[in-house]
Amino acid sequence: MEKQEHIIDEEQVNERIDKVLSSLNNEWSRTQVQTWIKEGNVLVNGKKIKTNYKSNLHDKIEISIPDPEELDVVPEEMALDIYYEDKDVIVVNKPKGMVVHPAPGHLTGTLVNGLMAHCKDLSGINGVLRPGIVHRIDKDTSGLLMVAKNDYAHEHLVNQLVEKTVTRKYRAVVHGNIQHDYGTINAPIARDPKERQSMTVIDNGKHAVTHFQVLERFPDFTFVECQLETGRTHQIRVHMKYIGYPLAGDPKYGPRKTIDFGGQVLHAGVLGFVHPRSGEYLEFEAPLPQDFVELLNKLRNNR
């Protein structure tokens, strides 16, 4: 069990303790913090408190973070669209609607379930629920992912992500007509303090950079290619909303009146990286899914 301490400063005085703690770490949801408080894993000045406790200046907060529960993930036979595979790496084209890895309460039907049936040797660095997963894309985003078969490959691929040498290009349809042919969005991203299930651009967020290029314009929409320099949660969706061109079909960050697409119109089409063992640069491209192609044709016909 991991233990952390925090002292309440002047800016945090008279705030609910669950709100204070959830703001300290983007990975801690307010609901999770409330559970820790109810279980007695949060002490204030050595005493248990309730979730509605209001903080005082110089309160000493002690947080005991329980070890993650080890859950058995069941291998499931499924048709995987594999673009590349060797003893170190798998590159797979994930369909829209598939979750990348299991979570408590949702342990089946994910890409990891299918990968575990396909091969038994996935990296264990990310734990039982996310074996082999180096990076991920959202459930309703289609496209290419690299998966590590062993810890050696995993560490090399993660280092490339950190060093920003991995090529990741996405195709998207956004609301509005972008006038510039090219652009770069450099805006920090963190969890939205008002809506914990969403991300937002915020001053104290993590560094985030997205480059975009206009591919085609329609009266009310623009077809773009976005290249990630960093890889924050929901980065493209948050950044395009931030500059006033939210993704079409996006249920979380898009406008209420949007395209009925069953999710955001976003496809991770190009993935390139240096092979962790051979040192060779590999790049793969997955064509647009059929529903994406049909949407573009519909937009062209409505011009």
Side-chain angles (χ1 to χ4, degrees):
M1 181 175 289
E2 179 186 353
K3 294 184 181 292
Q4 294 190 20
E5 292 185 359
H6 177 74
I7 304 297
I8 297 296
D9 59 31
E10 292 180 356
E11 294 183 358
Q12 298 168 327
V13 169
N14 205 34
E15 291 275 7
R16 279 180 57 120
I17 193 66
D18 55 348
K19 182 178 180 182
V20 171
L21 294 184
S22 63
S23 69
L24 297 179
N25 189 320
N26 288 339
E27 299 300 320
W28 298 351
S29 70
R30 201 160 171 178
T31 301
Q32 179 66 75
V33 170
Q34 289 171 353
T35 299
W36 292 343
I37 293 172
K38 292 172 184 176
E39 292 175 348
N41 290 325
V42 176
L43 302 180
V44 177
N45 303 322
K47 297 180 180 180
K48 294 181 180 181
I49 40 88
K50 294 184 178 180
T51 54
N52 61 354
Y53 175 85
K54 295 289 185 70
S55 58
N56 297 298
L57 186 63
H58 302 317
D59 272 347
K60 180 182 179 182
I61 316 298
E62 298 173 83
I63 312 130
S64 298
I65 305 169
D67 294 328
E69 183 181 358
E70 294 293 315
L71 300 171
D72 290 329
V73 180
V74 179
E76 295 178 49
E77 293 290 341
M78 60 179 69
L80 297 176
D81 188 8
I82 294 174
Y83 271 52
Y84 176 84
E85 181 177 8
D86 61 21
K87 65 179 182 179
D88 294 302
V89 181
I90 304 176
V91 175
V92 60
N93 185 24
K94 184 191 81 69
K96 181 176 75 173
M98 176 183 281
V99 175
V100 170
H101 61 75
H106 187 92
L107 297 178
T108 60
T110 73
L111 178 62
V112 163
N113 294 107
L115 287 169
M116 290 182 68
H118 176 76
C119 61
K120 310 302 180 185
D121 50 349
L122 294 175
S123 165
I125 285 179
N126 264 348
V128 174
L129 293 181
R130 296 187 290 173
I133 300 302
V134 178
H135 65 126
R136 59 184 179 179
I137 54 180
D138 298 330
K139 173 187 175 184
D140 292 326
T141 299
S142 57
L144 297 171
L145 282 167
M146 54 185 179
V147 179
K149 282 190 169 184
N150 52 65
D151 292 357
Y152 174 84
H154 196 126
E155 290 179 358
H156 274 256
L157 294 174
V158 167
N159 286 338
Q160 291 180 53
L161 288 168
V162 172
E163 294 167 4
K164 303 173 186 175
T165 58
V166 176
T167 301
R168 286 174 292 172
K169 295 180 181 179
Y170 291 67
R171 298 287 176 92
V173 173
V174 300
H175 283 271
N177 203 296
I178 301 176
Q179 296 304 306
H180 299 285
D181 291 339
Y182 301 90
T184 295
I185 309 163
N186 186 340
I189 291 175
R191 197 167 296 281
D192 190 334
K194 297 179 181 178
E195 175 53 62
R196 298 297 299 174
Q197 299 303 313
S198 298
M199 308 300 287
T200 190
V201 170
I202 192 167
D203 287 342
N204 62 353
K206 294 181 178 179
H207 177 64
V209 177
T210 304
H211 307 282
F212 69 84
Q213 174 186 354
V214 170
L215 301 177
E216 192 171 355
R217 293 182 177 91
F218 308 103
D220 299 313
F221 299 92
T222 307
F223 179 33
V224 297
E225 180 177 85
C226 295
Q227 182 163 352
L228 292 179
E229 184 173 312
T230 56
R232 307 305 175 199
T233 301
H234 300 166
Q235 179 171 314
I236 291 173
R237 299 164 68 187
V238 172
H239 269 173
M240 296 310 294
K241 175 187 177 182
Y242 178 67
I243 64 170
Y245 302 99
L247 266 63
D250 194 333
K252 185 180 289 288
Y253 301 103
R256 289 185 179 180
K257 187 176 181 182
T258 187
I259 290 173
D260 182 11
F261 193 72
Q264 62 274 3
V265 188
L266 185 63
H267 174 66
V270 176
L271 176 65
F273 57 91
V274 173
H275 191 279
R277 204 171 297 273
S278 71
E280 178 187 2
Y281 178 75
L282 305 175
E283 186 169 290
F284 307 92
E285 182 170 1
L288 294 174
Q290 186 60 34
D291 57 351
F292 201 132
V293 173
E294 291 172 358
L295 172 61
L296 289 175
N297 288 334
K298 182 178 179 181
L299 292 174
R300 289 174 185 131
N301 292 334
N302 288 340
R303 277 198 262 218

